[in-house]
């Protein structure tokens, strides 16, 4: 259930139920992985793809400790299965008007979500590697990266720029991963400029 291809299927069902055709899809951090997976699996439905503080590979391979990946996967799978019995009576639903900080919303999400799901999602995140699919992307793609981002390396961005056919990069002077909460206006301006440029090129 908690796999990125399943998230993409859920998103596809939403688009079908709403009667939507091609769409512009943007994702930040973990959401960027979902957006990338969707664009790979449903290329005809995505005209523009925007990845904010998000890459294509799990952090362990990025940090050059990929040899430990099988151990980490087994450990996280064991923890998830061992805690599968645990349930929560109440789930957290994000409210943009009340939850104005990234860490508060993240904390509330973690403490109200069954712990087994947290472990399973961590296993999925460290396991991703979309490198061999990047050149199959057909959408106009924008990568937004901060000046210093421990979760998206400069090498990773370079690979995406080389492999994704229609890809561009915008660098923020922000020295943090949390662009969508700390520099919302600047991030929004990057996206608007990108979409306007693509719209004008299609005229």
């Amino acid at each position: 259930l908690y796999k990125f291809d399943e998230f993409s299927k859920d998103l596809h069902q939403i688009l079908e139920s709403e009667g939507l055709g091609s769409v512009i899809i943007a994702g930040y951090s973990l959401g960027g992985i979902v957006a990338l997976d969707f664009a790979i699996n449903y290329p005809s439905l995505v005209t523009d793809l925007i990845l904010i503080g998000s890459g294509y590979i799990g952090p362990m391979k990025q940090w050059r400790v990929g040899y430990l990946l099988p151990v980490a996967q087994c450990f996280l799978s064991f923890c998830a299965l061992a805690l599968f019995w645990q349930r929560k009576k109440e789930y957290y639903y994000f409210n943009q008007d009340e939850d104005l900080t990234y860490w508060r919303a993240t904390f509330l999400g973690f403490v109200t979500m069954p712990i087994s799901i947290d472990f399973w999602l961590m296993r999925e995140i460290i396991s991703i590697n979309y490198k061999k699919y990047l050149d199959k992307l057909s959408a106009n793609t924008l990568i937004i990266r901060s000046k210093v981002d421990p979760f998206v390396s400069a090498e990773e961005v370079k690979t995406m720029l080389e492999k994704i056919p229609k890809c561009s990069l915008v660098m923020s002077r922000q020295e943090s991963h949390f662009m969508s909460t700390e520099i919302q206006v600047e991030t929004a301006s990057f996206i608007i400029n990108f979409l306007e440029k693509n719209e004008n090129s299609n005229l």
Side-chain angles (χ1 to χ4, degrees):
L1 178 61
Y2 294 98
K3 289 178 173 287
F4 288 106
D5 59 345
E6 292 296 327
F7 296 154
S8 290
K9 289 176 184 176
D10 290 342
L11 183 53
H12 182 235
Q13 288 180 353
I14 292 172
L15 296 183
E16 282 192 328
S17 66
E18 295 295 325
L20 299 175
S22 58
V23 294
I24 298 166
I25 185 167
Y28 161 65
S29 194
L30 178 63
I33 301 173
V34 177
L36 179 60
D37 188 277
F38 184 83
I40 289 170
N41 285 294
Y42 301 96
S44 64
L45 297 181
V46 182
T47 59
D48 300 276
L49 172 65
I50 301 155
L51 304 175
I52 308 166
S54 184
Y56 69 87
I57 197 168
M60 294 189 70
K61 290 184 178 179
Q62 182 190 143
W63 298 335
R64 304 190 189 285
V65 289
Y67 59 90
L68 293 175
L69 183 59
V71 176
Q73 288 172 325
C74 290
F75 173 74
L76 292 170
S77 295
F78 172 79
C79 291
L81 291 170
L83 294 165
F84 188 71
W85 55 270
Q86 188 251 359
R87 295 287 185 271
K88 294 289 185 181
K89 294 181 179 180
E90 182 179 350
Y91 287 86
Y92 167 69
Y93 293 92
F94 179 73
N95 185 317
Q96 183 68 62
D97 295 326
E98 297 177 1
D99 303 314
L100 300 179
T101 64
Y102 175 87
W103 285 114
R104 181 178 186 277
T106 301
F107 174 75
L108 289 172
F110 274 123
V111 298
T112 59
M113 186 185 298
I115 299 174
S116 61
I117 295 175
D118 294 332
F119 281 116
W120 183 256
L121 282 175
M122 281 190 280
R123 184 196 183 283
E124 290 299 298
I125 291 167
I126 66 172
S127 302
I128 65 164
N129 188 351
Y130 292 102
K131 186 175 182 178
K132 66 180 180 179
Y133 303 109
L134 295 179
D135 60 357
K136 305 294 192 300
L137 285 168
S138 58
N140 299 311
T141 303
L142 174 66
I143 300 169
I144 303 176
R145 181 183 183 264
S146 62
K147 185 179 179 182
V148 178
D149 191 332
F151 299 106
V152 186
S153 69
E155 182 180 348
E156 189 176 1
V157 170
K158 181 182 177 182
T159 299
M160 288 193 286
L161 288 170
E162 291 173 350
K163 289 191 168 292
I164 299 174
K166 295 179 286 186
C167 186
S168 58
L169 167 69
V170 174
M171 293 285 291
S172 168
R173 289 173 292 179
Q174 176 81 1
E175 296 187 359
S176 167
H177 176 69
F178 309 107
M179 290 180 287
S180 67
T181 54
E182 296 177 357
I183 52 166
Q184 298 99 324
V185 174
E186 183 180 14
T187 302
S189 69
F190 291 152
I191 296 172
I192 292 169
N193 291 337
F194 169 72
L195 295 176
E196 287 180 342
K197 180 181 177 182
N198 289 339
E199 185 178 14
N200 292 333
S201 66
N202 292 329
L203 294 177

